[in-house]
């Protein structure tokens, strides 16, 4: 059985990355040269290039790789003339270089893959050259300008295929979900809720950088490890990411711990706020006797002129409107609703504490997440 390959899975199975490769192939098949925008945070870029190269190869079409940084000391026109006008027949007074190449079929059946540009000015020079080449098929010759810059505007018969236009954090979340179901990445202690949290956390922290997300997931047991500590541990593996202040590792490099913790908090809010709300409803509706006693307590407070007021300032008189803080007050603090289930009281207390931390924009620690999800697992098993 073939060993699982995260880079293969990302580029062959996840929607956004697959669509990037398909769009590049479609543009070329329709007779357009392309700007292939591959920024430094692109996951496993060589895998993408290998797949695209393999899909384009075959038949009568040849792919010629041009290392612009080392092979082209001058401009694009001079380079192409030196390589493909070997008989020195070009005369500038008669036509442009591009028209000369096309009229004489000098670039036929070739896709020229130009990469490793020295700087943006060299890219601009090649972009100017390619935009004026009036080909409409690979039979007449086409170009791929492979660059880390994604803000280049295509002209003429060119299209831009930029990684950031196709892949997003949602792709990373789906990718992480698959990883956590694979034996190489899953751990026995990871329940369904743990996998949901970790896939959301990886996507929120890493955005569309699935390569960093993959290393993040497999580097630690998150039932004990803090996400910030894991990011610090893997930062040295991706030094090029640290130069980008918008990347999570760039934030670490800039000592912007607050920005990292904000992303952790956001992931926790997205996963745990709905979980806490569902737990509240489950507690209220799990036992008619308990529900009746909670409603009686609310009615008693209202009839005696001191109705319950919750943290949002709203007065609560109906059972369905009580929040987890209100349940905690009636059951655990004021002891107006007595229950014998000590574990349930601890659960309500934990839910309230967890909710309050997130409400005050404070991310919860790994031990708190573990405790909450252990309770959730216990209640899942009781159902």
């Amino acid at each position: 059985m073939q060993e699982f390959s995260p880079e293969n899975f990302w580029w062959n199975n996840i929607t956004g990355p697959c669509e990037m490769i398909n769009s590049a192939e479609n543009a070329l098949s329709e007779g357009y040269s392309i700007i292939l925008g591959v920024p430094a945070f692109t996951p496993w870029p060589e895998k993408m290039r290998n797949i695209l190269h393999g899909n384009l190869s075959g038949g009568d079409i040849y792919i010629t790789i041009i290392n612009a940084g080392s092979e082209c000391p001058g401009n694009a026109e001079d380079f192409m003339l030196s390589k493909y006008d070997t008989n020195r027949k070009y005369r500038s007074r008669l036509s442009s270089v591009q028209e000369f190449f096309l009229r004489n079929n000098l670039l036929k059946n070739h896709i020229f893959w130009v990469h490793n540009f020295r700087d943006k000015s060299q890219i601009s020079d090649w972009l100017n050259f390619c935009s004026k080449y009036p080909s409409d098929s690979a039979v007449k010759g086409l170009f791929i300008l492979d660059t880390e810059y994604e803000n280049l505007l295509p002209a003429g018969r060119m299209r831009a295929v930029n990684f950031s236009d196709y892949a997003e954090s949602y792709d990373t979340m789906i990718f992480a979900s698959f990883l956590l179901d694979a034996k190489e990445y899953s751990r026995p202690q990871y329940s369904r809720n743990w996998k949901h949290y970790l896939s959301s956390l990886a996507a929120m922290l890493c955005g569309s950088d699935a390569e960093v997300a993959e290393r993040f997931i497999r580097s630690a047991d998150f039932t004990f490890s803090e996400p910030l500590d894991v990011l610090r541990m893997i930062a040295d593996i991706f030094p090029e990411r640290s130069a980008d202040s918008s990347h999570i590792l760039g934030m670490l490099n800039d000592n912007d711990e607050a920005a990292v913790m904000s992303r952790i908090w956001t992931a926790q809010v997205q996963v745990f706020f709905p979980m806490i709300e569902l737990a509240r409803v489950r507690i209220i509706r799990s036992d008619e006797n308990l529900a009746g006693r909670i409603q009686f307590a609310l009615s008693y407070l209202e009839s005696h002129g001191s109705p319950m007021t919750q943290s949002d300032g709203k007065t609560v008189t109906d059972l369905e409107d009580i929040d987890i803080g209100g349940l905690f007050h009636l059951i655990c603090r004021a002891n107006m609703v007595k229950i014998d289930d000590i574990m349930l009281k601890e659960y309500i207390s934990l839910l309230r504490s967890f909710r309050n931390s997130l409400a005050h924009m404070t991310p919860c620690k790994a031990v708190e997440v573990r405790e909450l999800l252990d309770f959730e697992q216990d209640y899942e098993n009781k159902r």
Side-chain angles (χ1 to χ4, degrees), residues 26-125:
N26 290 339
L28 291 163
S29 68
E30 293 169 14
Y32 289 89
S33 293
I34 63 172
I35 306 166
L36 193 65
V38 187
F41 57 81
T42 303
W44 303 289
E46 288 308 312
K47 173 56 64 174
M48 177 272 294
R49 294 180 176 111
N50 290 339
I51 293 172
L52 181 58
H53 189 288
N55 292 350
L56 296 174
S57 301
D60 296 326
I61 302 301
Y62 300 92
I63 299 176
T64 299
I65 307 297
I66 299 173
N67 187 324
S70 62
E71 295 180 41
C72 310
N75 60 40
E77 284 191 1
D78 291 343
F79 174 81
M80 294 299 292
L81 284 170
S82 70
K83 292 290 184 180
Y84 299 99
D85 180 24
T86 55
N87 294 322
R88 301 295 185 266
K89 292 183 178 181
Y90 172 66
R91 300 294 180 266
S92 60
R93 69 180 182 276
L94 300 178
S95 69
S96 69
V97 173
Q98 293 88 338
E99 290 168 344
F100 169 75
F101 281 141
L102 191 62
R103 185 173 61 250
N104 292 280
N105 289 319
L106 298 180
L107 308 184
K108 67 177 182 179
N109 297 334
H110 275 76
I111 295 176
F112 298 91
W113 195 319
V114 192
H115 73 113
N116 193 31
F117 296 95
R118 288 190 301 273
D119 50 37
K120 201 166 184 178
S121 64
Q122 189 182 36
I123 298 170
S124 297
D125 174 59

Side-chain angles (χ1 to χ4, degrees), residues 271-288 290-292 294-295 298 308 310-312 314 316-331 339 344 347-356 372 375-376 379-380 383:
V271 173
F272 296 123
F273 262 25
M275 185 181 294
I276 291 169
E277 177 61 15
L278 288 172
R280 178 193 71 85
V281 173
R282 184 174 64 233
I283 291 168
I284 291 173
R285 297 179 179 177
S286 62
D287 188 318
E288 289 185 5
L290 176 60
I294 293 171
Q295 184 61 66
L298 292 173
M308 173 176 285
Q310 298 185 144
S311 57
D312 58 5
K314 293 182 180 179
V316 181
T317 59
D318 185 82
L319 169 69
E320 294 293 332
D321 295 329
I322 192 169
D323 65 12
I324 199 68
L327 282 179
F328 174 80
H329 176 77
L330 292 179
I331 295 174
I339 61 174
L344 179 57
Y347 184 33
I348 292 170
S349 179
L350 174 63
L351 290 169
R352 176 212 175 235
S353 174
F354 206 101
R355 193 282 312 268
N356 284 355
L372 175 65
F375 267 107
E376 282 296 309
Y379 276 87
E380 285 284 331
R383 291 166 63 181

Side-chain angles (χ1 to χ4, degrees), residues 257-271:
E257 184 177 309
V260 178
M261 296 305 290
S262 177
R263 292 196 182 191
I264 295 172
W265 171 81
T266 301
Q268 291 184 353
V269 167
Q270 291 178 350
V271 173

Side-chain angles (χ1 to χ4, degrees), residues 42 44 76 88-89 141 168 219 247 266 343 345 370 378:
T42 303
W44 303 289
R88 301 295 185 266
K89 292 183 178 181
E168 56 186 32
S219 293
H247 193 280
T266 301
M343 292 295 291
K345 293 179 73 171
R370 184 174 71 248
D378 287 343

Side-chain angles (χ1 to χ4, degrees), residues 85-283:
D85 180 24
T86 55
N87 294 322
R88 301 295 185 266
K89 292 183 178 181
Y90 172 66
R91 300 294 180 266
S92 60
R93 69 180 182 276
L94 300 178
S95 69
S96 69
V97 173
Q98 293 88 338
E99 290 168 344
F100 169 75
F101 281 141
L102 191 62
R103 185 173 61 250
N104 292 280
N105 289 319
L106 298 180
L107 308 184
K108 67 177 182 179
N109 297 334
H110 275 76
I111 295 176
F112 298 91
W113 195 319
V114 192
H115 73 113
N116 193 31
F117 296 95
R118 288 190 301 273
D119 50 37
K120 201 166 184 178
S121 64
Q122 189 182 36
I123 298 170
S124 297
D125 174 59
W126 274 92
L127 179 58
N128 181 59
F129 176 85
C130 295
S131 66
K132 294 177 181 178
Y133 185 63
S135 170
D136 58 6
S137 72
V139 173
K140 298 176 182 178
L142 293 173
F143 292 83
I144 299 172
L145 301 185
D146 185 341
T147 169
E148 66 180 20
Y149 296 101
E150 290 193 299
N151 59 348
L152 301 176
L153 297 178
R157 289 195 59 79
M158 298 198 75
R159 288 181 181 172
V161 180
N162 296 316
F163 174 76
S164 295
D165 292 334
Y166 294 91
E168 56 186 32
S169 59
Y170 181 74
D171 292 296
T172 302
M173 184 172 69
I174 298 299
F175 174 70
S177 297
F178 277 101
L179 289 185
L180 288 161
D181 281 334
K183 65 178 182 179
E184 296 89 344
Y185 297 85
S186 186
R187 298 171 186 262
Q189 60 270 36
Y190 286 171
S191 64
R192 176 177 55 83
N193 285 327
W194 265 109
K195 293 176 181 179
H196 179 207
Y197 169 53
L198 293 179
S199 60
S200 299
L201 179 65
M204 183 56 62
L205 288 172
C206 304
S208 60
D209 193 340
E211 186 172 359
V212 171
E214 184 269 342
R215 182 58 67 105
F216 174 76
I217 287 172
R218 69 179 167 95
S219 293
D221 176 357
F222 288 93
T223 62
F224 292 94
S225 299
E226 297 295 342
L228 180 59
D229 295 336
V230 178
L231 287 172
R232 289 193 178 113
M233 181 174 64
I234 67 174
D236 290 342
I237 302 171
F238 304 96
E240 72 284 355
R241 264 73 159 184
S242 298
D244 183 353
S245 60
S246 66
H247 193 280
I248 194 69
L249 300 183
M251 295 175 190
L252 277 182
N253 187 57
D254 294 339
N255 296 314
D256 193 356
E257 184 177 309
V260 178
M261 296 305 290
S262 177
R263 292 196 182 191
I264 295 172
W265 171 81
T266 301
Q268 291 184 353
V269 167
Q270 291 178 350
V271 173
F272 296 123
F273 262 25
M275 185 181 294
I276 291 169
E277 177 61 15
L278 288 172
R280 178 193 71 85
V281 173
R282 184 174 64 233
I283 291 168

